[in-house]
Amino acid sequence: MVGTAGTGAGAEGAGAPSEPDGPTYSELTIFDLAPEEDSGSDTLGRYRYQAEVAARDCLAMLTQDAIDSVVCEWHEDFVVTWTDGSVELVSVKHREGTQGPWTLAELCKSGGLTHLFDRWCACECAANVRLRLATNAALKPGKGNAGVLARMCGPEPEVTAGLTVMAEDIARQMLKVRWKQPYPNVPDTPVCKVADIQIPDGFVDKVVRFLAVLEISCKQPHRENITDVNIQRLLVPAVEQLKLAHVDLESTYRAIVDRIERANRDESDRGQLAVYIADPSRVRHSTQMQQRIGQRRITRDIIRREIVFTSVPLPTFPRGQAPVVAPGGAKLRRKMRRGRVPSDEAAFAERLRSAWYTTWSERRSGLAGDETDLLNLSTDVLEMAFDCRRHARAQVADGSEFGIKMNDLLAERLKVDALPSPPPFQLNHLHLRGLAYQLCDECHFFFSEPFDADEEAS
């Protein structure tokens, strides 16, 4: 994580000098280094595993409004941003079964604990920042070891006895790691036996605060089965809750993970960005930094766009259910009559409006994002309806009614694949026309010159 002003100064670190807008990337030499495991298929497997762990949070976005986005970072980490303004820095560590459980020393050295501490310090230990170390491996039990450490973490720890002693042990292990790895926010102390390390003043207290915002999760699936677990436990329930039909689960999951990998391994920007994400004021006036973060940000809409549907035709009305008649419709009938649309086509418009009403009632997720999804889709449909009206007016004689031609153009042009952006769930062309007729009933457009549809007798 980027070392920020003030976090590495004095006895607790060796960071860059303070600057008003944070340090420049040229000062942060650690983030120019290649990952430790930077070779061969094993590295690719680790990258894939990291992306699949990030996919767990991305899939949760489909059904949880609390998660705003996931931002992929360089090397091994990602950041979960929450709608309440908090952020969670996540470090992913896969461990082969032959290596055994994590010990406390290994967790600090190669298990990501020191790295997370440095990232937290880079974010100035801000109150809106919490941390997660996600691993598939077990934690070694026993007094003073990794298993007990996990129970001491978080704002409401299960174990509090011996916290200071544990923090001192972690502090010494981090100081040892610092001898070979130049973390800017970990003090640089003389090399000696671990037991003889002189801990700088205030460093243990800082470690205690670090543990209070840390979660160590050792329940991640192993690399060989994380794909199946994620599909069955996360993607399938999300598809069911969103009431999506004919979803190709494997292709959808593969597309989501590929999208995460593209964001995570974009070598055009290797800077780590959580310090800026944690404090939005840092990027408020920096278009370049906003663009960098945006290129690595995975949102709910991006995940939805990766959903792959099979080629099975979607029925206009759900099978196995009694047809539902949409409420309203009087204004649509008046407008179509004023536009001289034939009565049989007007009756068909009513049927399509009911098809849209049923589909929207069935497919909406119940989350706050539904209204935004409907607004975006309605805006696209309205734009196409107005375009059809302009062309209809241009094709009839001056003063002639254009409603018939406009309705013909709606049937011809209002297609799912013609939308400027994909719909939030699977629809067919008739559903889109049904939405258009619903918008007409709500007086968003007319099939003639505008008139007062409320006052005209039916």
Side-chain angles (χ1 to χ4, degrees):
M1 192 53 48
V2 182
T4 56
T7 58
E12 292 189 6
S18 175
E19 290 187 6
D21 296 323
T24 62
Y25 285 108
S26 61
E27 295 169 328
L28 308 172
T29 55
I30 182 173
F31 300 119
D32 294 327
L33 299 175
E36 290 182 8
E37 314 90 0
D38 193 24
S39 62
S41 59
D42 185 59
T43 298
L44 295 178
R46 293 176 188 273
Y47 275 132
R48 187 72 176 183
Y49 182 77
Q50 175 197 338
E52 294 204 62
V53 173
R56 296 171 67 83
D57 288 277
C58 290
L59 289 171
M61 277 194 292
L62 290 173
T63 56
Q64 296 180 24
D65 279 338
I67 301 177
D68 181 66
S69 66
V70 171
V71 181
C72 302
E73 292 201 274
W74 176 245
H75 290 183
E76 59 184 354
D77 309 302
F78 59 93
V79 181
V80 181
T81 68
W82 301 78
T83 53
D84 64 2
S86 63
V87 300
E88 185 178 27
L89 316 185
V90 185
S91 182
V92 180
K93 291 296 178 182
H94 183 273
R95 190 170 171 87
E96 302 298 338
T98 55
Q99 295 177 284
W102 291 106
T103 65
L104 185 66
E106 290 173 324
L107 212 57
C108 292
K109 180 182 178 182
S110 55
L113 204 62
T114 305
H115 177 58
L116 265 181
F117 176 83
D118 188 70
R119 301 177 81 204
W120 176 65
C121 293
C123 293
E124 299 174 354
C125 313
N128 67 321
V129 177
R130 58 182 185 266
L131 314 163
R132 188 194 335 157
L133 175 58
T135 180
N136 64 305
L139 307 174
K140 190 167 184 176
K143 184 178 179 180
N145 224 314
V148 176
L149 167 62
R151 298 166 63 194
M152 288 182 167
C153 293
E156 299 179 357
E158 180 184 348
V159 175
T160 56
L163 177 60
T164 301
V165 174
M166 176 66 77
E168 290 174 351
D169 289 345
I170 293 172
R172 288 192 175 90
Q173 292 297 334
M174 287 182 176
L175 294 170
K176 178 184 178 182
V177 171
R178 176 66 176 81
W179 296 340
K180 294 185 178 181
Q181 299 184 47
Y183 288 114
N185 300 293
V186 177
D188 191 5
T189 58
V191 177
C192 61
K193 292 182 180 179
V194 174
D196 295 334
I197 294 176
Q198 295 298 309
I199 304 176
D201 292 341
F203 191 61
V204 172
D205 290 339
K206 199 167 190 178
V207 171
V208 170
R209 290 164 51 204
F210 164 71
L211 298 181
V213 295
L214 172 67
E215 173 195 357
I216 299 178
S217 172
C218 55
K219 298 180 180 180
Q220 306 302 312
H222 289 273
R223 187 161 59 187
E224 60 271 16
N225 57 20
I226 188 172
T227 296
D228 291 337
V229 171
N230 285 357
I231 290 175
Q232 295 303 319
R233 296 185 184 177
L234 297 172
L235 181 56
V236 169
V239 167
E240 292 175 351
Q241 184 171 333
L242 295 172
K243 298 177 182 177
L244 302 178
H246 310 302
V247 173
D248 186 328
L249 295 172
E250 292 188 2
S251 296
T252 295
Y253 181 76
R254 185 165 55 249
I256 290 172
V257 174
D258 288 346
R259 180 65 181 82
I260 294 169
E261 282 193 317
R262 289 199 303 273
N264 190 39
R265 303 189 67 187
D266 177 9
E267 299 198 13
S268 65
D269 174 29
R270 298 189 179 190
Q272 301 210 3
L273 308 173
V275 62
Y276 297 93
I277 300 166
D279 183 4
S281 65
R282 292 182 183 274
V283 298
R284 190 167 297 153
H285 304 293
S286 173
T287 302
Q288 183 182 33
M289 187 56 66
Q290 288 175 339
Q291 290 174 344
R292 288 178 176 177
I293 293 173
Q295 289 170 353
R296 293 175 173 271
R297 188 187 299 274
I298 306 294
T299 63
R300 183 178 292 104
D301 287 342
I302 289 174
I303 295 300
R304 284 189 172 186
R305 287 198 292 270
E306 298 298 338
I307 294 176
V308 179
F309 294 98
T310 62
S311 58
V312 177
L314 184 68
T316 303
F317 285 92
R319 294 189 176 95
Q321 298 184 21
V324 177
V325 177
K331 295 179 182 178
L332 173 64
R333 289 190 292 272
R334 294 168 194 166
K335 292 177 179 181
M336 299 194 87
R337 184 165 57 246
R338 178 69 71 93
R340 304 293 178 88
V341 176
S343 59
D344 53 352
E345 292 187 26
F348 187 59
E350 283 289 350
R351 178 175 296 185
L352 296 187
R353 195 172 67 86
S354 293
W356 161 254
Y357 176 81
T358 302
T359 299
W360 174 244
S361 300
E362 289 291 322
R363 300 297 175 84
R364 62 187 306 173
S365 67
L367 302 175
D370 284 340
E371 296 308 314
T372 301
D373 289 339
L374 180 58
L375 178 62
N376 287 331
L377 183 59
S378 298
T379 300
D380 291 342
V381 170
L382 275 175
E383 181 183 19
M384 298 176 74
F386 291 143
D387 186 63
C388 289
R389 186 170 68 183
R390 284 190 294 271
H391 283 80
R393 277 176 169 161
Q395 294 180 34
V396 299
D398 291 342
S400 300
E401 299 293 347
F402 55 81
I404 297 176
K405 184 60 179 178
M406 179 180 173
N407 197 46
D408 291 343
L409 290 174
L410 281 175
E412 177 185 329
R413 300 184 179 185
L414 197 53
K415 308 292 186 182
V416 174
D417 52 9
L419 292 172
S421 57
F425 47 78
Q426 191 180 22
L427 299 170
N428 66 26
H429 305 326
L430 296 181
H431 293 136
L432 287 184
R433 285 173 63 192
L435 173 56
Y437 294 134
Q438 177 61 36
L439 292 171
C440 180
D441 190 57
E442 295 171 0
C443 287
H444 290 286
F445 71 90
F446 292 74
F447 283 91
S448 63
E449 297 301 331
F451 64 95
D452 191 339
D454 288 315
E455 292 185 0
E456 182 168 307
S458 60

